[in-house]
Amino acid sequence: MKLLIIGSKGQLGYDLVRYSKHLGIDVEAADLPEIDITRPRSVEKWVALARPSILINAAAYTNVDKAESEPALADAVNSTGPAYIARECERFGIPFLHISTDYVFNGRNQIPYKESDPIEPLGAYGKSKADGERHIRESLKTHIIVRTSWLYGAHGHNFVKTMLRLGKEKPVLRVVSDQFGCPTCAADLAETLLKIAQQIQGGHRLEWGTYHYCNFGIISWHQFATTIFELAIPFMALAVNRVEPISTEEYPTPVTRPKFSALDCTRIQNSFGIRLKPWRESLQQTIPEIINELQRTP
């Protein structure tokens, strides 16, 4: 199997490349400036030269708030770019794995969202990701879209790193307690995507289409923050001694976020034999690596 991983320098791409090499997979990694998925000629060139057996797109515009003032850029990266990739995958007969988000939903559910639930994104970011999904479905049958949520890892920007940085400086933090979802470790998602790729390459019978993957357990951002600090105490000095729960209304942002965006992952478990690791277990394993990364970063 030869993989082409686009977005290899990002949070998920970093772990995809790392795990691929660990598994002995032949991998070609591409990111800006070598490839720009918003430019069709750039995509055409890379896919034609690499000729992978499977392509994974981990490139994305992920700044949810900034997308409101940069909708054209968010759309170019999250919608138009995946359309260009899907077109080239169709041309060369390459299966395509793509990452999407829980933010395609409106957050009004009271039970975890299934893949078949109607989508209704609340902002420019969610809309751009929903449009990217649609373009892929329209262009290419042999695709797997994996929606995930609350992604964090040792590489890149994420909520865990933000909390740890603030926790070093401030004795009191205020974190939203009425938005609920499922944290997902980038390393776990990378491992899952590679398992799917191996099954595709192995000729396993499978259903193409959309799947959900996240770590197991539904929590609030406030619960996530308090657990981050609890697990970080043995590894770093923290100034924070209180995390106050606040409402969404007390922390206004440029875009409305889903109040409840937990994902039902039954389909991916049944179809690919994927085990969902508990979110706390994955966070506990990843915290030391994240702290080491923070300490290396000026």
Side-chain angles (χ1 to χ4, degrees):
M1 175 170 65
K2 181 180 182 181
L3 284 183
L4 172 57
I5 297 172
I6 297 177
S8 59
K9 296 177 184 176
Q11 180 168 242
L12 175 60
Y14 174 84
D15 278 320
L16 279 168
V17 173
R18 181 170 63 163
Y19 275 75
S20 295
K21 291 179 178 178
H22 177 73
L23 293 170
I25 295 172
D26 182 10
V27 59
E28 188 151 357
D31 207 319
L32 289 169
E34 299 89 13
I35 184 172
D36 182 349
I37 65 170
T38 69
R39 299 180 179 275
R41 292 289 179 86
S42 181
V43 175
E44 291 169 10
K45 172 187 171 184
W46 265 92
V47 176
L49 288 175
R51 291 293 183 97
S53 46
I54 296 173
L55 190 152
I56 302 178
N57 179 39
Y61 181 108
T62 57
N63 192 320
V64 176
D65 288 329
K66 201 171 182 181
E68 295 303 302
S69 59
E70 296 182 335
L73 179 57
D75 191 67
V77 177
N78 293 341
S79 175
T80 308
Y84 292 148
I85 297 171
R87 185 178 66 187
E88 294 309 302
C89 286
E90 170 67 20
R91 178 183 300 183
F92 292 106
I94 301 167
F96 180 25
L97 275 64
H98 176 74
I99 319 306
S100 192
T101 175
D102 56 331
Y103 276 43
V104 299
F105 297 112
N106 62 23
R108 292 196 285 269
N109 260 23
Q110 295 182 346
I111 60 173
Y113 283 94
K114 295 180 180 294
E115 292 85 351
S116 56
D117 285 333
I119 62 172
E120 187 185 353
L122 300 177
Y125 165 72
K127 182 180 182 302
S128 69
K129 294 297 285 185
D131 287 344
E133 290 185 11
R134 176 174 53 81
H135 289 316
I136 293 168
R137 294 188 190 104
E138 291 173 350
S139 301
L140 178 66
K141 177 184 177 182
T142 56
H143 72 267
I144 299 287
I145 295 168
V146 178
R147 294 183 183 136
T148 192
S149 59
W150 295 23
L151 194 65
Y152 70 91
H155 192 75
H157 302 287
N158 55 67
F159 181 79
V160 178
K161 283 188 174 181
T162 298
M163 287 298 102
L164 291 173
R165 287 194 187 99
L166 294 174
K168 287 174 62 178
E169 304 164 0
K170 299 184 178 184
V172 180
L173 294 174
R174 304 168 77 234
V175 181
V176 169
S177 62
D178 59 356
Q179 294 175 20
F180 295 87
C182 307
T184 306
C185 177
D188 293 340
L189 178 57
E191 186 177 357
T192 293
L193 292 168
L194 293 175
K195 285 181 179 177
I196 293 172
Q198 288 173 323
Q199 291 187 36
I200 293 171
Q201 185 67 18
H204 291 224
R205 294 187 62 184
L206 56 91
E207 291 186 26
W208 301 103
T210 303
Y211 292 83
H212 290 169
Y213 176 82
C214 55
N215 286 138
F216 180 76
I218 303 170
I219 59 170
S220 69
W221 288 112
H222 178 265
Q223 290 171 301
F224 196 16
T226 56
T227 307
I228 290 165
F229 296 130
E230 174 193 336
L231 297 177
I233 286 172
F235 303 101
M236 68 182 295
L238 293 167
V240 65
N241 55 51
R242 188 166 79 254
V243 183
E244 295 181 352
I246 62 172
S247 68
T248 297
E249 288 69 26
E250 293 176 272
Y251 189 76
T253 57
V255 61
T256 302
R257 285 165 164 75
K259 284 291 189 77
F260 182 92
S261 63
L263 301 174
D264 184 321
C265 301
T266 304
R267 188 182 187 213
I268 201 167
Q269 293 178 86
N270 291 341
S271 298
F272 296 102
I274 301 298
R275 171 185 174 264
L276 303 184
K277 287 176 65 174
W279 69 268
R280 184 186 173 97
E281 177 185 325
S282 289
L283 179 63
Q284 187 167 21
Q285 291 173 351
T286 311
I287 279 282
E289 187 179 0
I290 292 175
I291 292 172
N292 287 336
E293 179 71 16
L294 283 173
Q295 290 171 344
R296 286 198 299 266
T297 305

